[in-house]
Amino acid sequence: MASNGNIHNEDNIQALTEHNLPTRTKDAFQPNAKALPAHFSSFSQSTKSIHADDPLNLLADVAPPIHTSTTFRYSHNPADLKPFRAADRPDKLLPFYQDTTEHVYSRVTTHSTSRLEAIMEQIIGAPCVTYSSGLSSLHALLCYLKPKRVSIGDGYHGSHGVLRLHTRLHGLQLLPLDCPASDLEHGDLILLETPVNPYGLAFDISAYAAKAHSRGAYLLIDSTFAPPPLQDPFAHGADCIMHSGTKYLGGHSDMLCGVLSIRTDLAPTWIPQLLEDREFMGAVMGSLEGWLGVRSVRTMELRVLRQSQSTDLIVTTLHAALTGKVLPNSRLDAQDIVPIKKVLKNIYHASLQAHDPDTAAWLTKQMPNGFGPVFSIELHNEALARTLPSKLFLFHHATSLGGVESLIEWRTMSDASVSRGLLRVSIGIEAWEDLLGDLIQAFRLLVEEFKL
Ligand SMILES: *Cc1c(COP(=O)(O)O)cnc(C)c1O
């Protein structure tokens, strides 16, 4: 049948088909995609994170393949070709990433980033758009909402950098987080970071939701410090959630990523425009980062729960030593208490806020599964804070957080606004006893060196 030996000849392709060899029609390439069961949304976070992208798994591979192509072939069937019309874009149906055989160009969608969006939508429970970084996702949201005013507290300094850009571009006004509600107007935005950088202290999401909504303003939660399963801001009235996916979604200190998730009833209007804007800003995740993201969110629930539990144990133990209330089954003996008290002046973490009954009333509802893996310590003076990281074996002295490796940062290295005695700690997946022991041996060395 293959009379002229030319593989591109249409007759030959027809002939190959008759012999059950692969054809160039798209059906032949997706025999393995599996649909999700109807009750999928009732599954646990880990089950969802392993299976939410099954419908996008077009090949026989169990582990997702790495795709690096920037461009994707159109259909070979002339009848399927749909010329581009910009007006089509806003009508795109949700979820947008299920158009998986329709990838065109990697500034629009890619296999890996679409899979990551599918997983994040199931985990968060609302549509998600991924970005090249946490800050580019914040920039994208501000471009979309065009608020005249943003009410914001202290917190991650980079977010303030993005706001300054908008002040420069079009006069965006900044209001303090505790401004009177009457200062906010329709279409304005409250940006609430909780737990907040660098202290790991929490704010009441429902109180800020009520304040925003009383004025027709929106509430954005920067939930980077409390990824799923620690906190569900939508359950407490948030309109939009932002994650620096660089932190716990990535979890291995090796990729940049941002995620915006939009409340389900707002998503059909917000998401199509956010997608179009993202295409023209070019603020997409790289294909390799998307692949790393899928690999990483698979284990997010395991990592984050362990990291948060370890943090609670370390913080509780240090705080008890500091306040003279040694816990009955504490790992510490009397000799450990002395160096802790000589070096440590204060410790900050949402778990300690829960000691106040009024705060505990909302905080334990808002963070039922743990208070997050980041806390801060203040030492008695600047020299101690500058030196502590050099005495530790198990903590890297570096900025950022959220990875499997424990990090400590003399915070003034990257944030000019904090006390020179402050160190921020990000707990990894090492055993908490090992980490606590490492901190205490370092405190002892400081006591010797500084003759405290
Ligand atoms: C890291 C971080 C960001 C910025 O995210 P990038 O991915 O670095 O752009 C924003 N908010 C918080 C709370 C962060 O920790």
Side-chain angles (χ1 to χ4, degrees):
M1 277 188 251
S3 53
N4 62 6
N6 177 359
I7 194 71
H8 298 298
N9 179 297
E10 291 300 322
D11 293 342
N12 289 347
I13 288 171
Q14 185 61 37
L16 287 168
T17 310
E18 282 162 13
H19 284 87
N20 269 339
L21 290 168
T23 71
R24 293 173 69 181
T25 66
K26 53 185 190 179
D27 287 350
F29 289 93
Q30 44 177 308
N32 285 303
K34 289 201 282 183
L36 301 180
H39 58 295
F40 191 78
S41 65
S42 68
F43 287 144
S44 79
Q45 178 176 333
S46 286
T47 305
K48 288 174 180 170
S49 67
I50 305 295
H51 291 289
D53 57 331
D54 281 350
L56 308 190
N57 186 355
L58 304 184
L59 304 172
D61 305 45
V62 170
I66 297 174
H67 299 263
T68 56
S69 189
T70 53
T71 185
F72 303 92
R73 284 193 304 271
Y74 295 121
S75 170
H76 196 62
N77 178 1
D80 285 346
L81 298 175
K82 292 183 220 115
F84 181 82
R85 284 192 302 129
D88 285 346
R89 308 306 302 272
D91 298 336
K92 273 204 147 188
L93 291 176
L94 296 169
F96 56 92
Y97 44 73
Q98 262 173 14
D99 247 357
T100 48
T101 54
E102 309 263 318
H103 295 298
V104 172
Y105 187 58
S106 67
R107 182 158 38 69
V108 186
T109 57
T110 72
H111 292 282
S112 301
T113 51
S114 294
R115 289 178 83 148
L116 182 58
E117 283 159 345
I119 299 170
M120 290 311 300
E121 168 163 358
Q122 289 293 340
I123 291 178
I124 293 186
C128 292
V129 184
T130 55
Y131 290 90
S132 54
S133 71
L135 290 189
S136 67
S137 72
L138 174 59
H139 176 61
L141 185 75
L142 293 172
C143 289
Y144 172 69
L145 288 177
K146 300 189 300 296
K148 292 209 169 54
R149 282 156 289 266
V150 173
S151 161
I152 183 172
D154 296 336
Y156 185 65
H157 55 96
S159 301
H160 286 264
V162 175
L163 295 176
R164 277 198 301 279
L165 186 87
H166 284 260
T167 298
R168 204 173 80 221
L169 287 174
H170 55 88
L172 172 73
Q173 239 185 298
L174 300 188
L175 300 172
L177 187 60
D178 56 2
C179 69
S182 56
D183 286 2
L184 292 166
E185 288 177 28
H186 191 84
D188 286 347
L189 181 70
I190 298 179
L191 197 180
L192 180 67
E193 190 180 309
T194 184
V196 70
N197 179 75
Y199 298 101
L201 296 174
F203 292 86
D204 184 353
I205 295 174
S206 56
Y208 286 91
K211 180 179 175 183
H213 297 156
S214 75
R215 302 295 298 167
Y218 296 111
L219 177 64
L220 165 65
I221 300 297
D222 182 340
S223 196
T224 299
F225 277 36
L230 299 183
Q231 175 168 285
D232 175 8
F234 287 133
H236 304 278
D239 300 300
C240 179
I241 301 171
M242 161 195 160
H243 282 282
S244 167
T246 310
K247 315 296 166 51
Y248 293 98
L249 274 54
H252 297 73
S253 313
D254 56 6
M255 54 173 271
L256 283 174
C257 162
V259 174
L260 288 182
S261 185
I262 310 299
R263 212 178 71 201
T264 323
D265 57 319
L266 299 172
T269 34
W270 292 29
I271 296 252
Q273 190 63 53
L274 286 170
L275 289 175
E276 188 176 325
D277 292 353
R278 183 182 68 174
E279 180 177 342
F280 298 123
M281 289 177 184
V284 284
M285 291 182 80
S287 304
L288 284 172
E289 277 73 10
W291 183 87
L292 282 168
V294 171
R295 137 78 54 111
S296 299
V297 287
R298 302 270 199 240
T299 57
M300 183 160 74
E301 185 180 35
L302 295 178
R303 286 185 278 107
V304 167
L305 284 177
R306 176 174 172 100
Q307 287 168 276
S308 185
Q309 277 156 9
S310 296
T311 306
D312 277 6
L313 290 162
I314 292 168
V315 167
T316 306
T317 310
L318 290 176
H319 182 258
L322 202 57
T323 52
K325 290 178 242 137
V326 173
L327 304 170
N329 51 3
S330 160
R331 301 252 150 192
L332 302 185
D333 55 38
Q335 295 158 339
D336 296 323
I337 311 283
V338 178
I340 292 173
K341 282 186 148 174
K342 283 187 170 171
V343 172
L344 199 60
K345 183 170 157 204
N346 228 324
I347 180 162
Y348 306 94
H349 187 237
S351 62
L352 301 173
Q353 288 175 279
H355 293 183
D356 171 50
D358 288 343
T359 308
W362 58 263
L363 183 54
T364 50
K365 273 189 231 141
Q366 186 173 301
M367 304 189 78
N369 298 320
F371 300 102
V374 178
F375 66 98
S376 275
I377 51 179
E378 189 166 9
L379 306 192
H380 282 292
N381 63 55
E382 179 180 337
L384 291 173
R386 178 193 280 268
T387 313
L388 177 69
S390 68
K391 308 291 182 198
L392 291 163
F393 294 101
L394 302 181
F395 294 80
H396 297 286
H397 187 197
T399 197
S400 199
L401 54 112
V404 291
E405 316 85 356
S406 290
L407 304 182
I408 190 164
E409 182 185 22
W410 185 33
R411 191 59 188 156
T412 191
M413 291 295 289
S414 63
D415 184 349
S417 70
V418 299
S419 148
R420 289 281 182 99
L422 196 78
L423 295 132
R424 187 182 71 184
V425 184
S426 167
I427 295 299
I429 64 166
E430 305 94 331
W432 75 273
E433 299 92 333
D434 297 339
L435 295 172
L436 179 66
D438 197 34
L439 285 167
I440 292 172
Q441 67 79 30
F443 292 165
R444 279 218 179 80
L445 292 177
L446 291 180
V447 169
E448 269 171 43
E449 184 169 323
F450 289 85
K451 307 199 184 341
L452 301 176

